[in-house]
């Protein structure tokens, strides 16, 4: 069994200033075996983390969070950039063309571009959804995602969605897989995964947002 945080943002996302080295430090402290840097519309963070985790105990999975026309979709396993602004169907097809998995993060969150808040199209060929996202203040969106996961037999993942390195691992998945990319992708598709964790501390989140906005004045 492996502990995985599949949705982490680094300084390559416009809304984060987390260094890859700091992310890796916390992942090691929290005994996370597998991480994915899922930055917004770029794989620059993925490229850096893949290089820095070579010959280490942490496995990095390439990933990207794509802004489709109707909401965000993770291209989990994708090492190449997927264009933003496409329809969800086109975005998912391009992810699959790159041998990745189309995973819907924070699916029902209306203020964070949750794809399934806008459309619950049952024909979308998604591979999994997040049922535990650590950044929700209340549990409604996670609860609704969990119900959909059960109803449609969709694998449910836990992820921190950390935009600040100290929040890495707040939510995570336990996955029954070997410690390699192909095995992990196959195990997700087979549903050999469980979502775990807790919500990110509102006090720490407020402190981070204050510091980020305060320091921006001096950039």
């Amino acid at each position: 069994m492996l502990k995985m945080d599949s949705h982490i943002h680094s300084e390559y996302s416009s809304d984060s200033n987390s260094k890859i080295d700091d992310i890796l430090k916390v992942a090691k402290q929290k005994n996370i075996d597998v991480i994915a840097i899922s930055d917004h519309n770029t794989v620059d963070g993925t490229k850096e983390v893949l290089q820095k985790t070579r010959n280490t105990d942490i496995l990095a999975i390439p990933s990207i969070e794509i802004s489709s026309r109707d909401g965000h979709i993770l291209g989990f396993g994708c090492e190449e950039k997927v264009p933003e602004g496409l329809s969800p169907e086109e975005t998912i097809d391009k992810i699959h063309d790159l041998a990745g998995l189309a995973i819907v993060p924070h699916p029902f969150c209306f203020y964070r571009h949750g794809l399934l808040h806008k459309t619950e199209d049952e024909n979308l060929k998604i591979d999994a959804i997040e049922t535990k996202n650590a950044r929700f203040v209340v549990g409604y969106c996670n609860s609704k995602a969990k119900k959909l996961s059960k109803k449609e037999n969709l694998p449910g993942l836990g992820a921190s969605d950390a935009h600040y390195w100290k929040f890495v691992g707040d939510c995570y998945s336990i996955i029954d897989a070997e410690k390699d990319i192909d095995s992990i992708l196959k195990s997700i598709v087979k549903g050999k995964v469980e979502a775990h964790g807790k919500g990110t501390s509102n006090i720490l989140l407020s402190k981070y947002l204050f510091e980020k906005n305060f320091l921006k004045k001096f950039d």
Side-chain angles (χ1 to χ4, degrees), residues 40-43 64 66 78-84 94 98:
H40 295 292
N41 304 307
T42 178
V43 291
I64 179 173
I66 307 141
C78 294
E79 292 190 58
E80 297 178 31
K81 182 178 177 179
V82 176
E84 56 189 290
K94 288 191 177 295
L98 293 170

Side-chain angles (χ1 to χ4, degrees), residues 92-131:
I92 291 166
D93 284 345
K94 288 191 177 295
I95 291 169
H96 289 159
D97 287 345
L98 293 170
L101 301 184
I103 298 172
V104 183
H106 43 77
F108 293 105
C109 186
F110 70 92
Y111 59 91
R112 291 177 55 219
H113 308 287
L115 177 66
L116 302 185
H117 166 66
K118 275 200 163 186
T119 175
E120 291 188 50
D121 187 349
E122 295 180 359
N123 296 316
L124 288 177
K125 298 175 183 177
I126 58 177
D127 300 294
I129 61 173
E130 286 180 356
T131 56

Side-chain angles (χ1 to χ4, degrees), residues 96-216:
H96 289 159
D97 287 345
L98 293 170
L101 301 184
I103 298 172
V104 183
H106 43 77
F108 293 105
C109 186
F110 70 92
Y111 59 91
R112 291 177 55 219
H113 308 287
L115 177 66
L116 302 185
H117 166 66
K118 275 200 163 186
T119 175
E120 291 188 50
D121 187 349
E122 295 180 359
N123 296 316
L124 288 177
K125 298 175 183 177
I126 58 177
D127 300 294
I129 61 173
E130 286 180 356
T131 56
K132 268 185 175 288
N133 182 293
R135 290 191 62 209
F136 291 124
V137 177
V138 293
Y140 167 76
C141 294
N142 282 334
S143 175
K144 192 169 181 180
K146 189 175 181 180
K147 288 179 182 177
L148 180 67
S149 171
K150 288 184 177 180
K151 178 185 174 185
E152 301 296 336
N153 198 28
L154 275 171
L157 300 177
S160 67
D161 194 1
H163 286 65
Y164 181 41
W165 56 273
K166 288 186 179 180
F167 304 152
V168 169
D170 279 359
C171 278
Y172 56 91
S173 301
I174 296 296
I175 184 165
D176 183 2
E178 299 298 320
K179 204 172 184 180
D180 67 73
I181 294 173
D182 188 55
S183 177
I184 287 168
L185 296 181
K186 287 179 178 177
S187 289
I188 291 173
V189 171
K190 292 177 181 177
K192 296 182 177 181
V193 62
E194 290 183 355
H196 293 267
K198 61 180 183 178
T200 292
S201 164
N202 290 330
I203 295 173
L204 289 177
L205 182 58
S206 298
K207 183 175 182 290
Y208 159 66
L209 292 173
F210 172 78
E211 290 176 351
K212 184 173 181 289
N213 292 328
F214 179 77
L215 292 173
K216 191 179 286 186

Side-chain angles (χ1 to χ4, degrees), residues 24-38:
L24 291 173
K25 180 174 69 175
V26 175
K28 186 174 182 179
Q29 289 172 349
K30 295 187 177 181
N31 298 313
I32 296 173
D33 304 292
V34 183
I35 66 168
I37 302 300
S38 302

